[in-house]
Amino acid sequence: MSKNKLGRWIGFTFVLMVIASLLLYTAKDSIIKGEPNVVDGYTKWSPELVEEFGTLPIQDGGRVKPMSTWAGFELLALNGKRKVRFESDGEKVSIGPTEWALDMLFRDEFTQKMEIFQVEDDAVLDMIEMPHENKKRRDRYSMEELQQYLHKVDALRAEVGKKPADDRDPIEKQFMGLVSNIQSYVSLSSHLTPVKEAMAEEGQLNNELRKFSSWVEQWPKLSQYLAMLSQQSGAESEGIRKVAGIIAKRVGDSVYSQVAMYPPIDPKQKSWTKRGDWLSKYMQREVPADADQIEYLKEMEALALAYNEGGESALLTAVKEFKTKAEKRMEARGEGKTMKGELAYEKMDYFYRSLTHLYWAFWSWHLDGWHQLRNGVESVTALPGFC
């Protein structure tokens, strides 16, 4: 074979590889098509807040990575892709991993309605007796749809979980995958639950006692005081019982969080703090106070109350302050050195994907123009007397 022919074959093979990779990038986002997912009232986060929040550190699997990277893998595991698409007030909306993570933490009333749980085979839903009319065999579902069947998911999880993984049939394996995705979802959505709102309206309590973290920090003394007041009659005791009920609900809803966003005080401690059931056990006096847990709770409360009381601009300021604290502590621990590289890689990846769409838009336009030109030439050649 001549050098010219060999060069042409190499070039042709390279072009095919490029086109194949482009096809993979564009096809993966359109695997499932069906009725539009409607999430009315949604407003997009500001680009500055999305970018800043995406650079926050998070430890996962023993490695520190940017929030944007972590959220991308979480969303991909649940949704099968790194984008969430839906309609809001008649407009098409597309959000990325960091926006989704912001929604999960601060506006879970929207994420409840987003169809992000990809179910490969609806036989999984038959296991929990969940109807799926007007859905495809392989489709996506929202937490709002799954919510009333979670008790059946939990009961069946215990039953299927007794089987060795190799003994489970394909549907049971898919079911356990769905269980894992639900747990991941709840871990993130419940992360700010205890601190999302102040304990009382401004003026009803002093500024410190309006913070849930203050109640936690002073719980040994406050619990005794509350117990004493609850024995009294009248409006005061009723108010105390109300406060106790608020605390109990917040604690009960918070036991699922496994999100580690803040380095511990001790630089020798490798694992970052995760709340898990510590708060529940501590409030029941089953475990002692933990300085890392209380500090972590305070930091998360600062973010939650900033958004709740000051909106996006206040949250942006709080995110920057939190990031500065976390970076200083990471530097002392020798962590986070690869984060800048990961963020740069992500930007290049998004750039590549945008080029993919640009590429196909160009060729669609080019081919359309070529077809029009060909049709025009054919029309001219068909005229009488043309030869």
Side-chain angles (χ1 to χ4, degrees), residues 112-171:
Q112 287 270 336
K113 297 177 181 179
M114 294 179 189
E115 295 176 349
I116 61 167
F117 290 98
Q118 182 169 290
V119 176
E120 296 291 333
D121 193 318
D122 57 19
V124 172
L125 304 177
D126 293 334
M127 292 176 70
I128 57 173
E129 301 176 5
M130 176 178 166
H132 44 82
E133 289 82 7
N134 302 320
K135 288 276 195 175
K136 296 179 180 179
R137 180 181 178 182
R138 179 175 183 265
D139 218 324
R140 293 187 175 91
Y141 297 81
S142 67
M143 176 54 80
E144 192 174 67
E145 292 173 296
L146 291 168
Q147 190 77 48
Q148 60 181 309
Y149 301 95
L150 292 183
H151 66 287
K152 292 185 178 181
V153 170
D154 196 45
L156 198 56
R157 176 191 61 80
E159 182 182 330
V160 176
K162 292 176 183 177
K163 290 185 178 182
D166 292 339
D167 292 344
R168 296 169 191 162
D169 64 40
I171 300 303

Side-chain angles (χ1 to χ4, degrees), residues 372-386:
Q372 290 183 21
L373 177 62
R374 186 188 67 179
N375 291 338
V377 171
E378 289 176 349
S379 298
V380 171
T381 57
L383 292 173
F386 185 87

Side-chain angles (χ1 to χ4, degrees), residues 17-89:
M17 290 173 65
V18 171
I19 292 174
S21 66
L22 292 172
L23 283 170
L24 285 172
Y25 261 107
T26 53
K28 68 178 183 180
D29 283 341
S30 57
I31 294 173
I32 297 177
K33 296 281 186 182
E35 291 296 317
N37 178 202
V38 178
V39 185
D40 284 335
Y42 187 87
T43 54
K44 297 201 76 172
W45 298 94
S46 70
E48 185 181 4
L49 176 58
V50 173
E51 183 172 359
E52 196 69 33
F53 192 79
T55 64
L56 291 183
I58 186 167
Q59 190 188 61
D60 179 54
R63 189 170 72 85
V64 178
K65 59 187 73 172
M67 172 64 74
S68 56
T69 300
W70 177 82
F73 283 112
E74 288 291 301
L75 187 56
L76 182 64
L78 270 65
N79 194 36
K81 57 183 180 179
R82 288 182 171 88
K83 288 282 185 182
V84 182
R85 292 186 173 90
F86 51 89
E87 288 188 5
S88 183
D89 302 314

Side-chain angles (χ1 to χ4, degrees), residues 307-320:
Y307 176 68
N308 191 40
E309 298 178 357
E312 282 193 40
S313 60
L315 177 57
L316 177 60
T317 300
V319 165
K320 290 179 178 179

Side-chain angles (χ1 to χ4, degrees), residues 161-371:
K162 292 176 183 177
K163 290 185 178 182
D166 292 339
D167 292 344
R168 296 169 191 162
D169 64 40
I171 300 303
E172 288 174 331
K173 289 177 181 178
Q174 288 183 38
F175 169 77
M176 293 304 286
L178 176 62
V179 170
S180 177
N181 288 341
I182 290 172
Q183 290 172 337
S184 297
Y185 177 100
V186 175
S187 171
L188 183 56
S189 67
S190 67
H191 183 59
L192 297 183
T193 297
V195 295
K196 194 170 280 189
E197 296 179 356
M199 290 293 291
E201 296 293 330
E202 196 169 351
Q204 293 181 341
L205 289 173
N206 66 49
N207 288 336
E208 280 304 303
L209 287 180
R210 289 184 70 239
K211 297 177 182 177
F212 180 77
S213 60
S214 295
W215 288 81
V216 173
E217 193 171 24
Q218 302 176 48
W219 186 243
K221 293 180 180 179
L222 284 174
S223 61
Q224 293 177 8
Y225 181 65
L226 289 175
M228 182 184 69
L229 289 181
S230 66
Q231 302 301 318
Q232 301 176 8
S233 58
E236 190 174 40
S237 64
E238 182 63 31
I240 294 301
R241 281 192 286 272
K242 184 178 179 181
V243 169
I246 292 172
I247 293 172
K249 187 174 190 314
R250 293 190 183 196
V251 171
D253 290 345
S254 74
V255 299
Y256 306 103
S257 175
Q258 296 294 325
V259 180
M261 291 177 62
Y262 199 59
I265 298 168
D266 185 357
K268 295 180 182 178
Q269 183 179 326
K270 292 184 178 181
S271 296
W272 290 18
T273 304
K274 296 179 181 178
R275 185 170 62 241
D277 61 358
W278 173 84
L279 184 59
S280 175
K281 289 183 175 180
Y282 168 71
M283 300 297 268
Q284 297 177 64
R285 302 182 186 180
E286 294 178 8
V287 295
D290 185 315
D292 282 319
Q293 289 280 5
I294 292 172
E295 184 184 30
Y296 187 25
L297 194 67
K298 287 180 177 180
E299 294 296 339
M300 294 298 99
E301 187 171 46
L303 295 175
L305 294 183
Y307 176 68
N308 191 40
E309 298 178 357
E312 282 193 40
S313 60
L315 177 57
L316 177 60
T317 300
V319 165
K320 290 179 178 179
E321 292 173 356
F322 173 71
K323 180 183 173 182
T324 300
K325 293 179 185 178
E327 285 179 340
K328 284 182 179 179
R329 189 165 287 184
M330 283 195 300
E331 186 178 353
R333 295 166 57 86
E335 293 176 323
K337 295 177 181 179
T338 63
M339 283 185 58
K340 287 184 179 179
E342 287 194 48
L343 290 167
Y345 173 79
E346 276 186 21
K347 286 184 178 180
M348 288 182 65
D349 191 41
Y350 282 124
F351 175 71
Y352 178 72
R353 277 182 264 177
S354 67
L355 282 181
T356 301
H357 295 297
L358 180 63
Y359 172 88
W360 286 113
F362 168 77
W363 278 107
S364 295
W365 169 81
H366 181 77
L367 290 173
D368 183 58
W370 184 83
H371 285 306

